Amino acid sequence: GGPERGAGNAPVAPTAKLSWTSLGPRPIAAGAPSQYNGVAPWSGRVTAIATHPTTAATAYVGGAMGGVWKTTDDGVTWKPIFDSQPSLAVGSIAIDPNTPSTLYVGTGESNFNPDSYFGAGLFKSTDGGANWSKVGGTTFDNCYVADVLVKPGASSTVFAAVHASGRYATACPSGIWRTTNGGTNWTQVSGGTADDLAFKPGTPNTIYAAYVDAGIWRSTTGGGAGSWSGPLAGGFPTSGVGRIALATSAASPARLYASVADVNTGGTLGTYRSDDSGSTWKTLPFANPCSYAETRGSGGQCSYDIALAAYPRDANLLYSAGIRLKRFNGTSWTTMGFGTTGAHVDIHALAFDANGRLWLGSDGGVWRKAGAYPWRSLNKGLALTQFEPGTSGSVAARFVGGTQDNGSMHRLASTGTWNEFNPGDGGYSAVDPDNADAVYSSYVFGTLYKSTDGGATNDCVFTATADYADFCATSTTDRSEFYAPVEMDPSDAGRLYVGTTRLWRTTTGGGSWSTASPIFPGTVTAIGLAKSSATTLYAAWRSSTATGVRRNTGTGWTAAAELPNRVITHIEVDPDTASTAYVALSGFGSGHVFRTTDSGTGWADLSGNLPDAPVNALAIDKRTTPPTIYAGTDVGVFWSVDNGVNWANAKEGLPNTVVMDVRLDTQANVVLAATHGRGLFSVPIASPKITTFSPNNGSPGSNVTITGENFTGTKSVKFGFTAGGFTVVSPTTIRATVPFGASTGKISVITGAGTAVSTGTYFVNG
């Protein structure tokens, strides 16, 4: 017989195309009634809203990592219009009030939270979003473009507020930038962490700029360099000032409003009004929409969610948002849009349309309210869900995933619909492979729930935070990651691990827990379990200064060899060989995928031609030889068929968004990509196909050339029922040897993804 596959083959990137299909949610159809969710359905975090100045049925929304979506029928249907751009992290959207078919989109989500991703610059469309061009060159790359304003009456003059504060902040020329030729050239007119901009209605040469921690500044001569003065005082606070949201009213008088975050507590410092262009200020009655407590000095999250809008037809009406929405009628505040009849909490964007209706964007999507009419969810058709690491189950039965602020949810193959079954911030999950009704879901800081009825009821079985100790069966005061890793043993569904500053283990499906490791130098970021060895464990940890991997091969815990000092996001152990494991690294710098074949004594860098971007998850398909490696990254899914020497970008049909989890779903024979902004995608694992073979007859020991598709990972070639030797020359060509004992019949090529059978017959001579 001939040599087995791989002998003498040069490394090669995979050539087969992976064509991805969106599985939603689009939208999240239903969930348990909650004071936090608002009116169903839901989608995901909306960071920006722009309404057409004259056509109320047309509007644009931006997702945190979901791109820009457009409606022309009042929110009944939505279309993504920004998917081909290099970043889908949206910080701002502006419509030219003079020519509404012209739009600007600033990338980089400006909400100062750990998953606010920086952008790839500033973009312009002159045809309502059908086509886009980048403006400003590379000036705003790696920035957060927090706001964009087009000057009324002068389409060629545009202002942008940009800053560098956020996730993986790099060099960014923070401040206010201006163009006077429609975006061709830009000039920095002011520095600082600029976060919000506003024109004085009727007097567009007067421009206001809000700076984080630095108050409000003003230009009265068109915003050129050297024309800005501030911080404005005259009754405006001069200390304790954090993030600021601005709003102006076009109704008479032309008022300027400001909602100010308390830099010390995170709640609201106060709300202020000026009737003289910011020279003097009046303090409005206190309201704290950024805090559930609502009292002065209570903690809150204004740095994450703060928005302000003045009703354009009545200068006395003001809407202030944070966690929830408050309405000021000129005298007092009332809470609105909260609970099961309102909008989802954590509000980032407010905008009025041409009909005076209020549009609201929050962590749950988009809602609209007109006068006394009820809140209306506009999320049908929007795919903005932000999955977190640690999805589980199968799309052929029950798929489960945790999401940012939209809970843990499942998708049933029988209906294809998505339902939230455990609210809040959903993290890692696990599904019993033999009983899809046995579901584990997690909340923040290692809070683990178990359901035995498919999520209808959920009992807390473990927590690492004192806030939930009273109603969880087991609790600890260990520190943990915000989303603590949870892993189910691949060979025993009753054995699960939770990572805090050590590993906790249950062997009774959550009934009781014990420690399974010593305390590590930091919090656990990833857990690796070996299907072939219940005693082999890997755990990655991080502290403020270091990262590392510990291993236990059955005789105690030791430190693995050193890896680059970046967060280890995922550990995947070879299902057949416990000493072989793969790790993924986040951050930037050399090396993002490594493999050990000696239980961590040494590591080989498999990063090859992977882009220098965080890798969040790995999936290893051992059904091919060598194994096929899939890497979920901040810039899509990449895959390798030659042990990481070469990687291909599997992006066809997959938007340019962050892939938080990638998994091999063998039950459905698909690869799953759970994104942090566009929901779940799947792609069939490419099956082999035989097109021709030549010659069509021969004696045992002779050679046959087989052509076709997807031969990578071929395990066997059979003539009739007898396997022979073979060499995979390329993904489309195999050279096979007719085995002794073969009989006349069909030729079969067997790979991990299926079996291809020839249409013609091979005739064995002699």
Side-chain angles (χ1 to χ4, degrees):
E4 289 296 317
R5 184 241 186 258
N9 291 345
V12 63
T15 57
K17 292 184 178 180
L18 298 187
S19 183
W20 296 88
T21 299
S22 172
L23 298 181
R26 193 172 179 169
I28 306 164
S34 166
Q35 63 172 322
Y36 310 112
N37 282 343
V39 178
W42 313 285
S43 56
R45 190 159 82 229
V46 167
T47 56
I49 300 175
T51 57
H52 194 285
T54 59
T55 306
T58 296
Y60 303 84
V61 301
M65 214 7 164
V68 180
W69 296 66
K70 179 179 182 179
T71 181
T72 58
D73 56 10
D74 230 21
V76 176
T77 61
W78 294 92
K79 178 183 179 181
I81 60 171
F82 202 68
D83 282 6
S84 61
Q85 304 313 311
S87 172
L88 300 192
V90 178
S92 51
I93 306 172
I95 299 176
D96 183 345
N98 318 291
T99 309
S101 59
T102 296
L103 315 171
Y104 293 86
V105 171
T107 61
E109 183 200 354
S110 176
N111 280 320
F112 303 93
N113 53 307
D115 67 340
S116 282
Y117 290 82
F118 63 75
L122 185 56
F123 297 82
K124 179 181 181 180
S125 172
T126 59
D127 52 13
N131 297 280
W132 296 90
S133 60
K134 189 174 181 179
V135 295
T138 60
T139 302
F140 308 119
D141 287 6
N142 304 326
C143 290
Y144 300 80
V145 183
D147 201 9
V148 179
L149 282 184
V150 183
K151 187 175 182 179
S155 295
S156 60
T157 299
V158 184
F159 293 83
V162 303
H163 61 77
S165 300
R167 177 182 170 92
Y168 296 137
T170 56
C172 168
S174 297
I176 301 171
W177 288 74
R178 183 181 71 165
T179 177
T180 56
N181 54 14
T184 303
N185 304 105
W186 293 80
T187 302
Q188 188 177 24
V189 296
S190 180
T193 306
D195 193 49
D196 204 5
L197 299 169
F199 288 113
K200 180 179 179 179
T203 312
N205 275 337
T206 296
I207 311 156
Y208 309 103
Y211 291 85
V212 178
D213 303 335
I216 301 173
W217 292 61
R218 177 183 63 194
S219 171
T220 59
T221 57
S227 70
W228 296 84
S229 60
L232 301 181
F236 195 83
T238 57
S239 63
V241 174
R243 193 177 182 189
I244 301 170
L246 301 175
T248 57
S249 172
S252 180
R255 285 176 171 162
L256 171 64
Y257 289 99
S259 176
V260 183
D262 186 332
V263 74
N264 297 309
T265 67
T268 305
L269 188 65
T271 309
Y272 303 87
R273 187 189 84 196
S274 176
D275 294 335
D276 55 8
S277 304
S279 295
T280 61
W281 296 83
K282 177 183 178 181
T283 304
L284 273 58
F286 183 78
N288 189 358
C290 294
S291 170
Y292 286 112
E294 294 199 40
T295 56
R296 186 180 295 276
S298 61
Q301 52 186 50
C302 277
S303 62
Y304 171 61
D305 43 26
I306 186 171
L308 200 63
Y311 185 52
R313 301 176 182 179
D314 185 342
N316 288 314
L317 293 182
L318 180 70
Y319 296 81
S320 180
I323 292 175
R324 51 184 133 192
L325 180 66
K326 308 280 285 188
R327 178 180 182 269
F328 184 67
N329 63 5
T331 303
S332 60
W333 294 93
T334 57
T335 299
M336 60 185 302
F338 190 62
T340 58
T341 60
H344 193 290
V345 298
D346 294 338
I347 301 161
H348 306 281
L350 297 172
F352 284 98
D353 65 21
N355 289 343
R357 300 175 300 180
L358 179 62
W359 295 61
L360 178 152
S362 75
D363 277 5
V366 184
W367 282 259
R368 189 179 62 224
K369 183 173 176 59
Y373 290 97
W375 284 93
R376 178 184 175 189
S377 170
L378 304 180
N379 291 298
K380 186 177 181 181
L382 279 175
L384 297 174
T385 299
Q386 295 178 282
F387 279 105
E388 301 295 349
T391 65
S392 59
S394 170
V395 294
R398 185 193 305 275
F399 172 88
V400 177
T403 68
Q404 191 275 324
D405 217 25
N406 286 285
S408 294
M409 64 180 69
H410 56 194
R411 177 188 182 273
L412 299 180
S414 57
T415 62
T417 57
W418 292 85
N419 293 282
E420 178 196 60
F421 65 88
N422 208 0
D425 288 300
Y428 287 73
S429 63
V431 178
D432 187 332
D434 299 318
N435 177 12
D437 284 337
V439 177
Y440 297 84
S441 59
S442 65
Y443 184 56
V444 299
F445 302 119
T447 306
L448 183 65
Y449 294 83
K450 179 181 182 180
S451 175
T452 57
D453 52 16
T457 59
N458 299 275
D459 297 316
C460 185
V461 295
F462 182 89
T463 186
T465 174
D467 292 343
Y468 301 101
D470 290 344
F471 60 87
C472 292
T474 300
S475 65
T476 177
T477 57
D478 291 356
R479 291 179 296 108
S480 76
E481 294 290 301
F482 187 78
Y483 293 112
V486 177
E487 294 291 339
M488 176 183 284
D489 192 306
S491 59
D492 184 350
R495 183 185 295 124
L496 290 92
Y497 294 82
V498 176
T500 59
T501 50
R502 50 189 161 178
L503 294 189
W504 290 82
R505 176 175 56 208
T506 178
T507 59
T508 57
S512 60
W513 295 81
S514 59
T515 57
S517 77
I519 294 177
F520 300 133
T523 53
V524 175
T525 60
I527 303 169
L529 305 179
K531 185 175 183 179
S532 61
S533 171
T535 59
T536 298
L537 308 172
Y538 297 81
W541 57 268
R542 71 162 171 177
S543 68
S544 60
T545 59
T547 61
V549 175
R550 295 289 177 93
R551 62 194 176 171
N552 187 340
T553 57
T555 58
W557 288 88
T558 57
E562 186 175 345
L563 287 161
N565 187 18
R566 300 198 309 278
V567 175
I568 296 164
T569 54
H570 188 88
I571 302 174
E572 189 76 10
V573 184
D574 187 301
D576 304 315
T577 308
S579 58
T580 296
Y582 302 76
V583 298
L585 274 70
S586 189
F588 296 91
S590 60
H592 290 279
V593 178
F594 290 81
R595 182 188 63 195
T596 180
T597 56
D598 53 15
S599 301
T601 299
W603 297 95
D605 188 347
L606 308 187
S607 303
N609 61 331
L610 271 177
D612 184 13
V615 174
N616 304 308
L618 298 171
I620 314 297
D621 190 351
K622 278 293 297 292
R623 300 176 301 177
T624 66
T625 305
T628 301
I629 310 171
Y630 299 91
T633 79
D634 274 12
V635 289
V637 174
F638 292 77
W639 60 316
S640 174
V641 295
D642 58 8
N643 286 320
V645 177
N646 294 279
W647 294 83
N649 188 356
K651 66 179 294 183
E652 187 172 321
L654 187 67
N656 291 328
T657 190
V658 171
V659 176
M660 198 61 80
D661 198 14
V662 61
R663 289 200 301 111
L664 182 68
D665 182 351
T666 56
Q667 187 174 346
N669 201 35
V670 297
V671 177
L672 299 175
T675 73
H676 196 64
R678 289 295 291 271
L680 181 69
F681 288 77
S682 74
V683 63
I685 297 173
S687 299
K689 178 182 178 181
I690 296 175
T691 304
T692 64
F693 58 87
S694 179
N696 68 351
N697 66 89
S699 302
S702 62
N703 292 325
V704 178
T705 298
I706 305 168
T707 63
E709 300 175 3
N710 304 321
F711 290 155
T712 299
T714 295
K715 291 181 172 293
S716 177
V717 175
K718 293 183 178 181
F719 290 78
F721 298 100
T722 305
F726 66 93
T727 297
V728 177
V729 179
S730 75
T732 60
T733 305
I734 292 175
R735 186 171 65 251
T737 302
V738 180
F740 290 92
S743 58
T744 295
K746 305 291 186 181
I747 297 176
S748 301
V749 173
I750 299 94
T751 74
T755 300
V757 180
S758 66
T759 56
T761 299
Y762 184 84
F763 297 93
V764 178
N765 301 328

